[in-house]
Amino acid sequence: MLLPALEKDQRRIIQELRKSGALSRSALAARLEISPAALTKLSRALLSMGVVEELGDPAHQARGRPAVPLRLASSGGYAVGATAHKGMLDIALVDFAGAVVATHHETIPPIDPRQFARKVREITHELVSRHNLLGQRMLGMGVAVPGPALSNDGERWSVVDALPGWRGAPLHEILSGELGWPLWLENDANAAALAEFYLGGLLRDFSTVVVLLLGYGIGAGVIVDGRLMRGQYGVAGEVGCLFPMDQPRPSPLDLLACLRADGCAITSVAEIDPTAAEQRPTIEAWLDRAAEQLEVVCNTAFAWIDPGAIVLAGPLPGEVLCGLEARLSRAALVVTVGNRRPPVRVSGLEGSPITLGAALLPIHALAA
């Protein structure tokens, strides 16, 4: 059961409820500058679709029930997000209201796109059954890929070498053929930006944000006026080009390489531990250098885009991300009107922002 196409003002209602929480019809009409009569008609249609619901007992309300609050209905549908990284597979399910229903994480050998789709389909069916979602509306699936787009249509991607058979392949065709669900493909940094925007609460306070994803490498997801900014050729936010691969970079893999070079016998980013005595000096030195490198990213993002927040996210330990934030807060960053500086903060999300953001892609597409 697919969700019917929504009118522009229906999308605006959904986005306002996602931003502000439950609101009465009269409050919605005032905020969106829609007549009460038109709002009542629009909300009636959304109620019939099952994507919004009424709060409280409307039995004794006046005709039109203007004071009965409306909110997004979690039962309006669910969406699935998936991502593959070197050695691991992540899947997440979210409901229409944006709540996380289930997550799945497992270690896997290198996997090609077709194998990935089959495994994701199998695990998704298990999760849907386990969480009593059978019969509910499936809104679609989002897949986040580590790498920039190679074509404007989002069909082919410059995926990292660690995933065999992904780079340059017709991913949308392959994955759609195996999954059979409405499908969205997106760069992992853009997916992380959606997770921070919706689940991280940025939507409530800001319309424009930048998320710096320190993941396989370094990238940025940019949301301007509530919409993902992709650029002319789909590679907006590819800030990794500022830090060539043959030179030190402010990325988790670079920190891992530094630790190994200093004699720390670790094999993955997951083993980075700021509390370990043998790792601490290397991590501190890396933080000093990485923060200095990130100054140019924060300054230029702030000067060009004027974001309400610049969020540091990724698989690095929270103490490492906080170390970057602390150094950037002390740095001589640019200042603009009102003595404002780049508003750097650390992600507060639990779980992978990439996978959660992938799951939000179908939901974002409905209202953005």
Side-chain angles (χ1 to χ4, degrees):
M1 179 176 57
L2 296 177
L3 186 66
L6 300 179
E7 299 175 7
K8 178 182 177 181
D9 283 335
Q10 289 174 330
R11 290 170 177 252
R12 294 178 64 211
I13 290 172
I14 288 174
Q15 196 72 338
E16 187 61 38
L17 292 175
R18 199 172 296 284
K19 173 183 176 181
S20 303
L23 291 170
S24 67
R25 291 168 174 80
S26 57
L28 270 171
R31 292 190 183 205
L32 300 177
E33 298 182 339
I34 299 174
S35 72
L39 195 287
T40 297
K41 180 180 178 180
L42 290 164
S43 62
R44 188 181 299 125
L46 293 173
L47 284 163
S48 68
M49 294 178 199
V51 295
V52 302
E53 60 188 10
E54 293 178 323
L55 284 176
D57 181 5
H60 302 293
Q61 298 290 337
R63 184 179 180 183
R65 303 193 290 274
V68 178
L70 298 173
R71 70 176 178 186
L72 296 180
S74 59
S75 59
Y78 68 92
V80 184
T83 184
H85 296 281
K86 182 180 180 181
M88 66 179 186
L89 171 71
D90 275 321
I91 299 174
L93 272 65
V94 300
D95 65 29
F96 187 75
V100 180
V101 177
T103 59
H104 176 89
H105 176 88
E106 70 174 91
T107 301
I108 58 170
I111 191 171
D112 69 31
R114 204 171 301 278
Q115 294 168 326
F116 167 83
R118 291 170 181 168
K119 191 161 186 64
V120 167
R121 183 180 60 195
E122 173 188 341
I123 295 169
T124 298
H125 285 315
E126 292 176 1
L127 292 174
V128 166
S129 177
R130 188 186 312 161
H131 293 275
N132 301 315
L133 295 174
L134 289 171
Q136 290 197 29
R137 180 186 288 127
M138 204 285 197
L139 301 170
M141 163 165 270
V143 174
V145 296
L150 290 174
S151 58
N152 286 341
D153 59 9
E155 178 67 26
R156 300 174 189 274
W157 296 76
S158 181
V159 182
V160 297
D161 293 334
L163 295 177
W166 288 69
R167 177 171 292 182
L171 291 182
H172 199 284
E173 176 185 334
I174 293 172
L175 299 179
S176 293
E178 291 290 336
L179 293 167
W181 300 322
L183 179 68
W184 284 260
L185 293 177
E186 191 52 82
N187 167 263
D188 56 0
N190 284 346
L194 287 181
E196 296 293 341
F197 191 60
Y198 288 111
L199 303 184
L202 298 180
L203 171 67
R204 292 192 295 270
D205 299 311
F206 312 114
S207 64
T208 298
V209 300
V210 172
V211 175
L212 295 180
L213 178 66
L214 307 180
Y216 188 88
I218 174 173
V222 182
I223 293 177
V224 175
D225 294 333
R227 301 185 181 188
L228 278 173
M229 188 177 79
R230 292 185 173 85
Q232 181 70 48
Y233 300 103
V235 293
E238 283 298 314
V239 296
C241 65
L242 299 172
F243 311 103
M245 292 290 291
D246 60 347
Q247 298 178 26
R249 315 179 83 209
S251 76
L253 289 186
D254 179 73
L255 174 54
L256 181 61
C258 290
L259 287 164
R260 287 174 175 169
D262 287 349
C264 298
I266 61 176
T267 60
S268 71
V269 172
E271 297 176 74
I272 296 174
D273 182 5
T275 66
E278 69 275 13
Q279 295 188 30
R280 189 73 190 182
T282 301
I283 291 175
E284 289 292 328
W286 181 86
L287 282 170
D288 290 339
R289 187 254 294 165
E292 187 174 341
Q293 290 178 298
L294 290 175
E295 286 184 30
V296 66
V297 179
C298 294
N299 282 337
T300 52
F302 185 59
W304 281 101
I305 303 170
D306 186 26
I310 298 175
V311 182
L312 303 177
L316 285 169
E319 188 175 339
V320 175
L321 291 176
C322 288
L324 288 172
E325 177 195 28
R327 285 163 172 79
L328 288 168
S329 70
R330 297 193 298 264
L333 300 180
V334 295
V335 177
T336 185
V337 178
N339 287 323
R340 289 188 299 114
R341 290 163 38 93
V344 180
R345 61 171 70 182
V346 171
S347 170
L349 284 180
E350 295 184 6
S352 167
I354 300 171
T355 311
L356 294 173
L360 290 166
L361 283 166
I363 291 173
H364 175 73
L366 289 171

